């Protein structure tokens, strides 16, 4: 199984809502990532988890809260988002985050904030 | 009018021709480079990688060249096919606390049948 599964595929939320994005992989990978991608732009790194510990936070606003409950699961909790947060949110995984590793991406969650 | 940055650089090639996509990277400490392909509605997909101790690596129909002197990468696709139409991103990987993979701007490849 070389898949990274993200749910939901599409999400529309108001600025006062709380929602969560979910990501799952069963490749035995120990590093997991959240990226944000605006239309016609490259993916931008948000968070990196390695062995279930947060190792990189790219100064992401606190309205985005990541969680790694176990080595197969990664969540992104959303609260009080702004319309400019509308984007494709991509989850990825890799062997263990120790470098020289390709990333395996899910198909993303397309988020619209109204 | 149009704003700079709203449109990806675009390369249009005839089916069967070779394609060359170029990328400049930014960090001298980067020691691993990857090309990804992103089709509409999908996440980026790995194509080929190269470490900084190499200057060329070949895969099936694809070749990556690395010039560390000028911090430049290129992706060559031989005998380009309609299925190669996608956005191509180079990415650099460098240590800072953990390891970061940072993507370049991307190039849209159109293959004309």
């Amino acid at each position: 199984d070389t898949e990274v599964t993200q749910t939901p595929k599409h999400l529309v939320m108001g600025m006062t809502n709380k929602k969560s994005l979910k990501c799952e992989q069963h490749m035995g990978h120990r590093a997991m990532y959240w990226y944000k991608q605006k239309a016609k732009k490259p993916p931008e790194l948000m968070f990196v988890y390695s062995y279930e510990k947060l190792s990189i936070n790219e100064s992401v606003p606190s309205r985005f809260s990541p969680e790694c409950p176990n080595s197969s699961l990664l969540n992104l909790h959303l609260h009080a988002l702004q319309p400019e947060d509308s984007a494709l949110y991509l989850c990825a995984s890799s062997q263990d985050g120790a470098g020289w590793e390709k990333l395996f991406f899910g198909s993303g969650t397309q988020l619209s904030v109204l | 009018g149009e704003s700079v940055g709203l449109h990806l650089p675009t390369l249009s090639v005839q089916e069967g021709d070779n394609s060359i996509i170029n990328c400049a990277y930014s960090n001298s400490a980067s020691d691993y480079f990857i090309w990804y392909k992103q089709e509409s509605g999908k996440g980026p997909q790995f194509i080929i990688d190269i470490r900084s101790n190499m200057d060329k690596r070949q895969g099936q129909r694809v070749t990556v060249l690395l010039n560390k002197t000028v911090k430049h990468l290129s992706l060559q696709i031989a005998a380009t096919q309609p299925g190669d139409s996608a956005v191509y991103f180079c990415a650099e990987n460098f240590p800072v606390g953990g390891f970061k993979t940072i993507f370049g701007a991307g190039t849209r490849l159109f293959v004309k049948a």
Side-chain angles (χ1 to χ4, degrees), chain A residues 3 12 15 35 51 61 64 69 71 74 83 106 112:
Chain A
E3 270 198 8
V12 179
M15 289 189 283
Y35 280 82
Y51 290 89
F64 295 91
S71 59
L74 185 67
S112 296

Side-chain angles (χ1 to χ4, degrees), chain B residues 31-97:
Chain B
D31 61 0
Y32 175 61
F33 305 90
I34 317 103
W35 281 98
Y36 289 92
K37 172 186 180 183
Q38 188 173 24
E39 296 174 282
S40 181
K42 296 184 179 180
Q45 179 183 16
F46 170 85
I47 302 173
I48 191 167
D49 57 1
I50 188 167
R51 291 180 63 166
S52 59
N53 60 354
M54 303 171 70
D55 53 22
K56 179 179 179 179
R57 189 155 190 234
Q58 288 185 286
Q60 188 176 12
R61 280 203 309 119
V62 292
T63 301
V64 55
L65 300 178
L66 174 62
N67 184 331
K68 294 182 289 294
T69 304
V70 294
K71 293 193 285 187
H72 183 268
L73 270 175
S74 68
L75 176 70
Q76 301 177 359
I77 304 174
T80 314
Q81 302 168 0
D84 295 325
S85 293
V87 178
Y88 289 82
F89 293 102
C90 66
E92 56 185 305
N93 182 280
F94 55 90
V96 55

Side-chain angles (χ1 to χ4, degrees), chain A residues 35 37 40-42 58 98 103, chain B residues 6 36 38 99-101 104:
Chain A
Y35 280 82
Q37 187 177 26
K40 302 187 190 300
K41 295 290 189 183
E58 290 286 88
L103 303 184
Chain B
L6 275 184
Y36 289 92
Q38 188 173 24
F99 278 84
K100 288 188 184 185
T101 298

Side-chain angles (χ1 to χ4, degrees), chain B residues 15-36:
Chain B
E15 182 180 1
D17 286 352
N18 297 335
S19 304
I20 300 176
I21 300 171
N22 296 304
C23 173
Y25 66 91
S26 58
N27 195 316
S28 300
S30 295
D31 61 0
Y32 175 61
F33 305 90
I34 317 103
W35 281 98
Y36 289 92

